[in-house]
Amino acid sequence: MDALDVARWQFGVTTVYHFLFVPLTIGLSVLVAILQTLWHRTGDEKYLKLTKFYGKLFLINFAMGVVTGIVQEFQFGMNWSDYSRFVGDIFGAPLAIEALVAFFLESTFIGLWIFGWDRLPKRLHLAAIWAAAIGTNLSAYFILAANSFMQNPVGYRINPDTGRAELTDFVAVLTNKVALITFPHTIAGAFLVAGSLLVAVALWHLIRNRDSADTPAYRFAAKFGAWVTLAATAAVMITGDIQGKIMTQVQPMKMAAAEGLYETESPAPFSVLTIGSLDGSRELFAIKIPYLLSYLGTGDPDGTVAGINDLQAQYATQYGPGNYAPIIPVTYWSFRFMIGFGLAAAAIALLVLWTQRRGRTPTSRWLLRAGLAMPVLPLLANSFGWIFTEMGRQPWIVFGEMLTRDGVSRSVSLTEVLTSFTAFTLIYATLAVIEVKLLIHYARAGVPDVTETPAPDDTDDAERPLAFAY
């Protein structure tokens, strides 16, 4: 083990941990805005209760996401300074816009939303949560645009004197075809997580407190969350199909690794289960669906999909001697775990809707257990999706331009990286305990009692205490 290995582990652990908060923040911001819109339009108190209830869970998650996200950018300078030097001219623009525009928009209007209850006019207060939700989603786009450059570099040139990548077309970076499809795919995954959380919390209260006066609110939240989960699943599948075809074009090795396809085939079958050699170099046993991989990769059932061995030979000729295949078992199984966990969440959502048909209230303890596991399933699906995305790009840190081994900081020793890795892991473990305890505590508390007060009209406003409306 050397500094490169530990630096990769550190970035992987902190990134996956940070991304546990990101999809819930993205999806829940919009769902809370929708709930408040329903209250604004109907005046029904149950929507106000749900807005404040899930809004509190959103704020807890948002705060943790901000704290863990700060570490991500510091790592570029600490452990990956050669990479930062090479790609900084490209990364700087979208990340600066994300911080100065999207994040400021998001954080500013979240503050107005928190402290504006009963002090801002209803429409202005509603606009604040929508502005925060828009800022959250914009933030995701700029970050994904930067990441997409690593998958499919566009809009740049290599300066022969400095050896650095220099930005030549910012619009090309923002309209990278990988970014254009990765964004809706990621957002759909975020709604899958948020919808699952709505279902899990509402289901717990429905089954544990069947005679509660707030049962109508929980029934709506469970149904709403289940429909969001199903719609998000459909969106993930549609965007994932398009993403697979683009991936076949720009990163054919990643597609071959996802399927354990060692030899070029036309038509190519989809692997339901493949068992390979321990070194991941060849296939030993496989269960396959004919023609399906060709369709998923090219849109043509008879299309040609390049295999790992042929691509390895091609890249060795193009880029020089070396191993250009990722770790096949990791890419193969992370791809399937991503799909499997996502579909499992959708299946539970269907079951929840079935148990509530014709006004029924779910009572099954087995359904409760499944519902409590529901938010974890899409979180795992999202995490394995990103593990596949980043591990499938290896050994490149910027595809076709820079190898991962060339991006690590040369001046950082193994001891220094191990120290920071250990410290971050312990800190993040502590934050995880805090996050889970806070979410469970406030989720168990249930929807709050609300007493609607009229919007301020500038009279007696100084007499009204500041409302932190929870």
Side-chain angles (χ1 to χ4, degrees), residues 17-366:
Y17 183 87
H18 172 61
F19 202 76
L20 295 176
F21 304 103
V22 172
L24 185 56
T25 297
I26 292 172
L28 207 52
S29 65
V30 176
L31 297 188
V32 169
I34 291 173
L35 289 171
Q36 186 167 342
T37 302
L38 291 173
W39 170 62
H40 179 75
R41 292 180 65 86
T42 67
D44 192 328
E45 193 177 77
K46 72 181 179 187
Y47 299 127
L48 176 59
K49 290 182 176 182
L50 291 173
T51 299
K52 294 190 174 187
F53 178 50
Y54 287 108
K56 182 177 292 185
L57 303 183
F58 161 67
L59 292 174
I60 293 169
N61 192 77
F62 173 79
M64 287 293 183
V66 171
V67 171
T68 57
I70 293 173
V71 175
Q72 299 303 102
E73 296 187 8
F74 282 130
Q75 286 188 91
F76 289 127
M78 293 189 302
N79 294 342
W80 301 97
S81 58
D82 280 10
Y83 166 73
S84 299
R85 188 177 298 109
F86 175 75
V87 81
D89 192 51
I90 313 294
F91 257 46
L95 292 184
I97 294 175
E98 185 272 333
L100 296 175
V101 178
F103 182 72
F104 280 7
L105 176 70
E106 177 184 11
S107 55
T108 299
F109 282 98
I110 281 180
L112 288 173
W113 186 71
I114 292 173
F115 297 105
W117 286 99
D118 302 332
R119 298 191 67 84
L120 292 175
K122 283 185 179 180
R123 288 186 179 181
L124 188 57
H125 189 254
L126 176 62
I129 187 60
W130 276 110
I134 292 170
T136 301
N137 285 266
L138 279 176
S139 179
Y141 186 82
F142 289 116
I143 292 173
L144 290 172
N147 179 267
S148 295
F149 179 84
M150 300 167 68
Q151 317 293 336
N152 180 43
V154 295
Y156 74 106
R157 75 179 185 94
I158 301 297
N159 187 317
D161 298 324
T162 63
R164 297 177 65 245
E166 295 182 350
L167 184 64
T168 59
D169 189 346
F170 184 55
V171 174
V173 173
L174 291 183
T175 57
N176 188 336
K177 60 183 175 181
V178 174
L180 293 177
I181 191 57
T182 300
F183 176 69
H185 189 65
T186 302
I187 297 302
F191 278 105
L192 186 56
V193 175
S196 296
L197 180 72
L198 259 67
V199 172
V201 176
L203 198 61
W204 188 86
H205 285 283
L206 276 175
I207 295 177
R208 293 291 296 270
N209 306 295
R210 300 174 191 174
D211 299 322
S212 169
D214 295 313
T215 293
Y218 295 128
R219 284 183 56 82
F220 173 81
K223 281 188 175 181
F224 179 47
W227 281 115
V228 169
T229 301
L230 292 176
T233 302
V236 166
M237 294 173 68
I238 293 170
T239 55
D241 176 62
I242 300 171
Q243 192 176 36
K245 292 174 173 58
I246 292 176
M247 181 174 65
T248 304
Q249 297 172 17
V250 301
Q251 291 177 295
M253 180 65 86
K254 185 185 289 187
M255 174 57 85
E259 293 304 315
L261 184 70
Y262 290 90
E263 304 298 335
T264 300
E265 295 190 35
S266 178
F270 178 86
S271 168
V272 177
L273 173 65
T274 294
I275 299 175
S277 58
L278 291 177
D279 60 0
S281 62
R282 58 192 176 89
E283 173 188 304
L284 299 179
F285 171 80
I287 300 174
K288 301 180 178 181
I289 301 175
Y291 301 99
L292 184 56
L293 180 57
S294 286
Y295 178 77
L296 293 175
T298 67
D300 179 0
D302 295 312
T304 300
V305 179
I308 296 168
N309 294 334
D310 290 328
L311 289 168
Q312 167 62 30
Q314 175 189 328
Y315 290 165
T317 301
Q318 183 176 355
Y319 301 112
N323 182 10
Y324 295 96
I327 303 173
I328 306 304
V330 173
T331 53
Y332 182 87
W333 288 109
S334 60
F335 185 70
R336 276 144 188 80
F337 287 149
M338 172 188 69
I339 297 172
F341 285 127
L343 291 177
I348 297 173
L350 274 173
L351 184 59
V352 169
L353 288 175
W354 175 256
T355 58
Q356 290 197 83
R357 69 193 188 281
R358 299 177 182 175
R360 299 177 185 178
T361 298
T363 58
S364 170
R365 293 285 173 177
W366 287 104

Side-chain angles (χ1 to χ4, degrees), residues 410-439:
R410 302 175 191 177
S411 61
V412 177
S413 68
L414 173 61
T415 302
E416 290 171 329
V417 183
L418 273 174
T419 301
S420 63
F421 181 35
T422 303
F424 283 139
T425 302
L426 293 175
I427 292 170
Y428 277 24
T430 303
L431 289 175
V433 172
I434 295 172
E435 160 89 358
V436 171
K437 283 190 173 182
L438 285 173
L439 287 177

